[in-house]
Amino acid sequence: MNFRDLSEQQILALAISAEEEDGRIYADFSEALRGGFPATAKLFDAMAEEESGHRHRLIELYRGKFGEHIPLIRRADVHGFYTRGRRLLGVGIRPERARAEAARMEIQSRNFYQNAAQLARDATIRQLLGDLAAEESKHEALAEGINAQQAREGQIAQEHDSARRSFVLQIVQPASPDSWTDRFRHSRLCSPPRSPRTIPQRHFV
């Protein structure tokens, strides 16, 4: 299906699905970063809570207009609709990359609500979509405000130092001579024995 051809019911269903996915992404970011980067995890906790609030407002409006059943429409189902890129989760995720991804996500969400509001004819639906577009813009300001406060408190600098030390320890710092010797011995012990070399016999006349 094409984005421009979506009905108001489908637009709301798509928005509900998108808000749920974004909230899960922010929660996953927070959980992955909480141990080593608590300041960034706190930022994503706040953003996940905001997305949850958006989803509940969309669901409430949808039920009032179209009933209880909400069809599952994902981003990938709609041609011309933005999709989320490859997830950054996993061991070694860096806080600056997660923050940059969150900023990109908020811009995409704002653009979606602005375009969706132009397609809606119902005044109530159009108003909510317009309000959510404005609130997505506020999310950027919220993130910037939290970043500024954490920068003043030195939390971001501490995270940068922690990330740099982790990178040095895992990637840059060379192995000690003893470890290289151990590796060499291990490779010699674990290598299969070589077959004896066959020396061709010469026949003298």
Side-chain angles (χ1 to χ4, degrees):
M1 62 183 72
N2 293 316
F3 177 72
R4 292 281 176 185
D5 298 332
L6 295 179
S7 65
E8 292 173 331
Q9 180 181 7
Q10 292 171 326
I11 288 175
L12 290 179
L14 176 61
I16 292 169
S17 175
E19 289 287 355
E20 181 176 6
E21 181 182 1
D22 287 354
R24 288 178 180 272
I25 291 175
Y26 291 147
D28 288 346
F29 279 166
S30 176
E31 187 64 24
L33 294 165
R34 194 177 309 280
F37 310 99
T40 301
K42 182 179 179 181
L43 167 65
F44 286 120
D45 285 338
M47 298 182 73
E49 185 176 352
E50 289 286 335
E51 300 303 314
S52 178
H54 290 182
R55 184 172 61 87
H56 282 95
R57 290 162 63 186
L58 288 163
I59 291 175
E60 182 180 358
L61 179 59
Y62 182 97
R63 287 174 174 170
K65 295 288 184 180
F66 307 108
E68 291 296 321
H69 176 70
I70 303 175
L72 177 60
I73 303 178
R74 299 186 178 92
R75 292 181 173 98
D77 300 329
V78 181
H79 180 69
F81 191 64
Y82 70 92
T83 57
R84 293 296 182 222
R86 183 175 61 87
R87 300 285 288 277
L88 302 178
L89 297 180
V91 178
I93 179 176
R94 299 179 66 82
E96 60 270 20
R97 288 194 62 192
R99 289 173 184 262
E101 176 67 11
R104 186 180 68 86
M105 290 170 59
E106 293 299 321
I107 293 174
Q108 289 178 334
S109 297
R110 179 196 63 197
N111 293 340
F112 160 65
Y113 283 122
Q114 289 176 343
N115 294 329
Q118 296 176 0
L119 299 178
R121 296 183 178 180
D122 183 277
T124 307
I125 295 177
R126 185 169 59 251
Q127 179 178 352
L128 177 58
L129 295 175
D131 291 345
L132 292 178
E135 291 181 21
E136 293 293 346
S137 298
K138 292 180 181 178
H139 283 186
E140 300 175 46
L142 170 66
E144 291 175 358
I146 294 177
N147 286 342
Q149 178 182 357
Q150 292 175 345
R152 289 193 298 269
E153 295 173 356
Q155 298 179 43
I156 295 181
Q158 292 176 3
E159 288 191 345
H160 286 171
D161 290 341
S162 177
R164 181 182 57 80
R165 288 194 300 268
S166 177
F167 177 78
V168 169
L169 290 174
Q170 296 179 14
I171 307 297
V172 178
Q173 185 174 11
S176 63
D178 292 340
S179 65
W180 282 111
T181 302
D182 293 340
R183 290 182 187 179
F184 176 75
R185 290 174 179 173
H186 179 74
S187 64
R188 292 292 299 273
L189 291 175
C190 296
S191 300
R194 296 182 179 180
S195 58
R197 182 178 178 182
T198 302
I199 302 176
Q201 295 182 357
R202 296 183 179 180
H203 299 279
F204 299 92
V205 179

